[in-house]
Amino acid sequence: MKRLCLLWPIAGLVLGVAGCSQPKMENQPKYETYENAPDWPDGQSARTPPAGTVARDAQLAPRPDHLPVPLTQALLDRGQQRFEINCLPCHGRVGYADGMVVQRGFPKPPSFHSERLRHAPLSHFYDVMTDGYGVMYSYADRVEPADRWAIAAYIRALQQSQHTPVAALDPAQRQALNQSGNGEDR
Ligand code: HEC
């Protein structure tokens, strides 16, 4: 019994050593970054990517200046939904930069109703969402390109909503506005 007890640690040691002697992938022969590589005719380990290779985050098509899809009610509805999920917390429901995150101390963005942003091309809003802007981080990994256009279109609709005089509405639109309870807003 005593001998058996002694055998166990020895067997464990043998198995352990055998396990360690297996070559690990990280120890296999390989080139380190930018190391000289005599195996290649040009001696470089950093190989040129094959023709036609594109970076994972490459912008494949040039970004158009204007809305690249038809402006429909469905697009605006989608834009509103995505805006209210992603942008409202800071930019506020109507775009006056009075969202809850700002009320809690986050830097205040400019109002979407400023002269400058009212006249900014639609692509500016797309670009801000794609690349971020100042302290605002990028939304590229949260908002799909198609949704960025939908949000941009919705922001334009918000801008229109605050700068179209009520007198310019036809009677049916005026009645709808009054019934919505928004007629007296700002
Ligand atoms: C966490 C808060 C926050 C969220 C959420 C947010 N933004 Fe911003 N945004 C900011 C701040 C702050 C600025 C001002 C950045 C600066 O000037 O440094 C800004 C600036 C902007 C501007 C103005 C850029 C300019 O030309 O001055 C646009 C347009 C904009 N955001 C669009 C959006 C859209 C669209 C979304 C939703 C997809 C969004 N933001 C979500 C905080 C936010």
Side-chain angles (χ1 to χ4, degrees), residues 86-87 90-91 107 109-110 116 124-125 129 133-137 139:
N86 293 291
C87 323
C90 294
H91 288 276
R116 180 175 65 85
H124 179 60
F125 298 89
M129 282 181 261
Y133 187 94
V135 297
M136 182 188 140
Y137 39 78
Y139 275 78

Side-chain angles (χ1 to χ4, degrees), residues 15-40:
L15 282 176
V17 170
C20 288
S21 67
Q22 293 295 322
K24 285 186 182 164
M25 279 185 80
E26 63 182 28
N27 293 330
Q28 68 186 318
K30 62 179 180 295
Y31 290 124
E32 302 292 337
T33 313
Y34 301 128
E35 196 180 347
N36 286 339
D39 290 340
W40 295 98

Side-chain angles (χ1 to χ4, degrees), residues 82-83 85-91 101-102 106-110 112 116-117 120 124-125 128-129 133-137 139 143 151-152 155:
R82 295 291 110 183
F83 176 88
I85 291 170
N86 293 291
C87 323
L88 177 150
C90 294
H91 288 276
V101 176
V102 173
F106 196 79
K108 191 174 165 74
F112 289 156
R116 180 175 65 85
L117 286 176
H124 179 60
F125 298 89
V128 170
M129 282 181 261
Y133 187 94
V135 297
M136 182 188 140
Y137 39 78
Y139 275 78
V143 180
I151 292 176
I155 292 176

Side-chain angles (χ1 to χ4, degrees), residues 3-131:
R3 198 177 285 170
L4 205 65
C5 288
L6 262 176
L7 275 178
W8 279 117
I10 292 172
L13 203 68
V14 170
L15 282 176
V17 170
C20 288
S21 67
Q22 293 295 322
K24 285 186 182 164
M25 279 185 80
E26 63 182 28
N27 293 330
Q28 68 186 318
K30 62 179 180 295
Y31 290 124
E32 302 292 337
T33 313
Y34 301 128
E35 196 180 347
N36 286 339
D39 290 340
W40 295 98
D42 61 3
Q44 293 183 8
S45 61
R47 310 307 306 153
T48 309
T53 305
V54 286
R56 273 184 60 189
D57 56 353
Q59 181 114 33
L60 296 184
R63 195 251 312 120
D65 284 339
H66 302 288
L67 192 64
V69 290
L71 178 60
T72 59
Q73 186 61 48
L75 185 85
L76 288 178
D77 289 346
R78 174 77 183 172
Q80 174 171 17
Q81 188 212 40
R82 295 291 110 183
F83 176 88
E84 293 186 349
I85 291 170
N86 293 291
C87 323
L88 177 150
C90 294
H91 288 276
R93 185 173 295 277
V94 187
Y96 283 102
D98 52 1
M100 187 51 76
V101 176
V102 173
Q103 291 177 38
R104 300 284 167 155
F106 196 79
K108 191 174 165 74
S111 163
F112 289 156
H113 307 292
S114 68
E115 268 310 286
R116 180 175 65 85
L117 286 176
R118 279 179 57 214
H119 294 109
L122 211 58
S123 54
H124 179 60
F125 298 89
Y126 183 94
D127 289 343
V128 170
M129 282 181 261
T130 307
D131 302 327

